[in-house]
Amino acid sequence: MLNPEITRRISDAVDTAFDRQLNFTAELVRHPSLRAEEASAQDLMFAELESRGLIMDRWQLDEETLSAHVGYGPTTVAFEDLTNVVGTYTPPASHGRSLILNGHIDVVPTGPEDTWSRSPWDAEIKDGWMYGRGSGDMKAGLAANLFAFDALRAAGLAPAASIHLQSVVEEECTGNGSLAALQRGYTADAVVIPEPEENMLVRANVGVIWFKVRVSGQPTHVREMATGFNAIDAAYTVMGDLRELQDTWNADQGSHRYFEDLDHPINFNIGMISGGDWPSSVPSWCEFDVRAALYPGVTAADAWAQIEDCLQTSSSGAEVSAVRSGFFSEGYVLEEGSDAEGVLASSHQQVFGSALESFTTPGYLDGRVFTLYGGIPTLVYGPVSEAIHGFDERVHIESVRKVTRTIALFIADWCGVTETT
Ligand code: ZN
């Protein structure tokens, strides 16, 4: 536990730099870092980290290396466009516990922009919220990592262990960015990921599989419709079969630790669809993309085998095939009682004046990479947000300030500090 004087100095340093932190967050939001279009935002992250005197590393994700890993998700975009950025701080004297401060730079598409009440990329601040695609998920968190780190130095303190500040790609689609960082050799005694988590700690989350289903039909002129086979109609039946599998998995929630009381933990989402060639031709094909979830402890291979079986025995009567098209990830549980959690709980308590709460989230998190494959306690903990992946995404400013303070205190307590002044 930090002494009160150091706590005060660090908290004051966060407050002093907070306007700059918000400006930087807004600048990040103004870079539309959609999948495979993260380069300019990564340039900005690189420049900011480099200006802090960190040892810089930027590299392109490598398909061969990644695809050899069990946690790899097939990537459907060009690898040339995917680069990770890491800045490493090395202490003058190392006697503390090392740390990875991780965040993803990629954001999901906006949907029709005219349905937003403002441009998704203007990062306007209004009534205590910053708006914009990626504001909550998770550019506020990326900036919080950076400015929490800054706060120690501004307070006249040097962390006493290595810190890797990571800005990764592919979190919203495969998880290959963090996986590549782990494969590159970045490891530590703990990881912090400030995803938008309502000022709480993630205790458990689901794994995710992405796949594309193709349903085949028999084309014909509509005048003799009965002689054809409508692939789009059949696709609806296939979707119904998948919903039944989803219901079966949800019915089993009672046997999965931390998922017993969740409302509908397993969600299958039909996220994209296309099919047919002509309004007056019975369609010969329909394709749709699905995101499925699985409980921690279920292997992605097992879940995938059940999904494939469901598709092959579909009641549609159609020829159905499926390919994996992204995430092939397992869920994880953050085991209770780790030192890292204890330090975060203490930091949170000092800032918020209340106990740290944990919860289960039915969405994908890169925490699985570090937890499952790195054996590192991973604290996914971050600010209050609304409408992530929706219209008018926003992040709560005061929450960002407090989360930044908490992370700064966590760094000091976890890594240890030495006085520089
Ligand atoms: Zn996220």
Side-chain angles (χ1 to χ4, degrees):
M1 182 114 162
L2 298 170
N3 77 49
E5 196 261 335
I6 286 188
T7 299
R8 187 190 48 76
R9 276 157 60 189
I10 293 171
S11 296
D12 288 352
V14 169
D15 287 349
T16 302
F18 194 63
D19 284 345
R20 268 190 289 126
Q21 178 178 341
L22 287 182
N23 288 338
F24 175 69
T25 310
E27 199 179 344
L28 265 185
V29 172
R30 288 186 205 108
H31 289 261
S33 50
L34 297 158
R35 186 182 194 187
E37 296 171 18
E38 298 98 341
S40 73
Q42 288 293 57
D43 289 346
L44 178 61
M45 285 302 296
F46 188 98
E48 284 292 315
L49 293 167
E50 191 176 39
S51 73
R52 270 101 173 151
L54 304 179
I55 301 162
M56 296 307 301
D57 186 14
R58 183 172 189 172
W59 76 97
Q60 188 185 308
L61 272 58
D62 178 63
E63 184 166 22
E64 202 180 319
T65 314
L66 280 163
S67 60
H69 196 286
V70 66
Y72 168 73
T75 292
T76 54
V77 297
F79 275 77
E80 300 85 77
D81 298 322
L82 306 176
T83 63
N84 278 345
V85 170
V86 176
T88 294
Y89 162 84
T90 13
S94 182
H95 54 77
R97 295 168 288 197
S98 58
L99 180 61
I100 289 169
L101 297 170
N102 171 284
H104 67 84
I105 194 81
D106 54 319
V107 301
V108 298
T110 59
E113 289 197 18
D114 58 5
T115 315
W116 287 63
S117 58
R118 55 183 55 73
S119 162
W121 313 112
D122 71 1
E124 186 183 346
I125 294 177
K126 197 178 162 197
D127 301 330
W129 297 81
M130 180 186 288
Y131 286 77
R133 172 57 83 234
S135 57
D137 188 12
M138 60 163 290
K139 288 171 172 175
L142 270 173
N145 279 344
L146 187 55
F147 282 79
F149 172 75
D150 284 352
L152 272 70
R153 287 178 163 184
L157 302 164
S162 299
I163 300 173
H164 306 290
L165 288 123
Q166 303 183 336
S167 176
V168 303
V169 293
E170 289 282 296
E171 193 274 345
E172 299 285 6
C173 42
T174 61
N176 290 339
S178 282
L179 191 59
L182 185 70
Q183 286 186 313
R184 201 164 171 85
Y186 290 107
T187 186
D189 297 318
V191 181
V192 170
I193 310 180
E195 289 272 15
E197 306 295 1
E198 318 305 311
N199 302 333
M200 291 191 287
L201 174 68
V202 175
R203 174 65 61 207
N205 78 333
V206 293
V208 168
I209 298 177
W210 274 17
F211 55 98
K212 183 185 281 291
V213 178
R214 186 176 177 96
V215 179
S216 299
Q218 181 63 46
T220 183
H221 192 290
V222 185
R223 67 182 182 179
E224 52 234 5
M225 190 167 89
T227 66
F229 185 93
N230 189 316
I232 293 177
D233 285 346
Y236 281 105
T237 306
V238 177
M239 290 175 202
D241 296 331
L242 287 168
R243 290 271 172 244
E244 279 182 28
L245 180 62
Q246 169 196 267
D247 293 345
T248 304
W249 289 2
N250 275 315
D252 188 40
Q253 71 182 105
S255 58
H256 295 276
R257 201 164 46 122
Y258 300 115
F259 286 82
E260 301 90 341
D261 303 321
L262 236 61
D263 181 28
H264 212 271
I266 299 295
N267 295 313
F268 285 16
N269 187 52
I270 314 297
M272 291 160 65
I273 186 165
S274 58
D277 305 300
W278 197 251
S280 292
S281 301
V282 170
S284 63
W285 66 281
C286 179
E287 287 185 346
F288 59 93
D289 286 75
V290 186
R291 172 271 198 202
L294 48 143
Y295 297 108
V298 176
T299 67
D302 274 358
W304 178 235
Q306 289 185 56
I307 290 165
E308 280 195 305
D309 184 58
C310 169
L311 296 172
Q312 291 317 314
T313 58
S314 162
S315 57
S316 66
E319 184 188 323
V320 183
S321 60
V323 290
R324 294 198 280 108
S325 54
F327 289 118
F328 194 61
S329 86
E330 286 157 27
Y332 75 92
V333 168
L334 172 69
E335 295 299 342
E336 294 180 45
S338 69
D339 290 348
E341 183 175 340
V343 171
L344 184 69
S346 151
S347 305
H348 177 93
Q349 174 81 42
Q350 285 180 78
V351 171
F352 285 84
S354 57
L356 175 65
E357 291 178 50
S358 63
F359 74 126
T360 298
T361 168
Y364 171 84
L365 291 169
D366 268 356
R368 61 104 193 188
V369 168
F370 304 100
T371 307
L372 297 177
Y373 309 127
I376 311 170
T378 303
L379 308 167
V380 180
Y381 165 88
V384 172
S385 70
E386 286 182 3
I388 58 169
H389 295 220
F391 297 132
D392 291 340
E393 175 179 348
R394 53 202 173 273
V395 66
H396 192 254
I397 301 292
E398 206 45 39
S399 164
V400 172
R401 181 201 299 267
K402 285 184 169 166
V403 163
T404 307
R405 276 193 210 145
T406 304
I407 296 172
L409 296 179
F410 177 87
I411 298 170
D413 203 352
W414 181 256
C415 300
V417 287
T418 52
E419 297 277 350
T420 57
T421 48

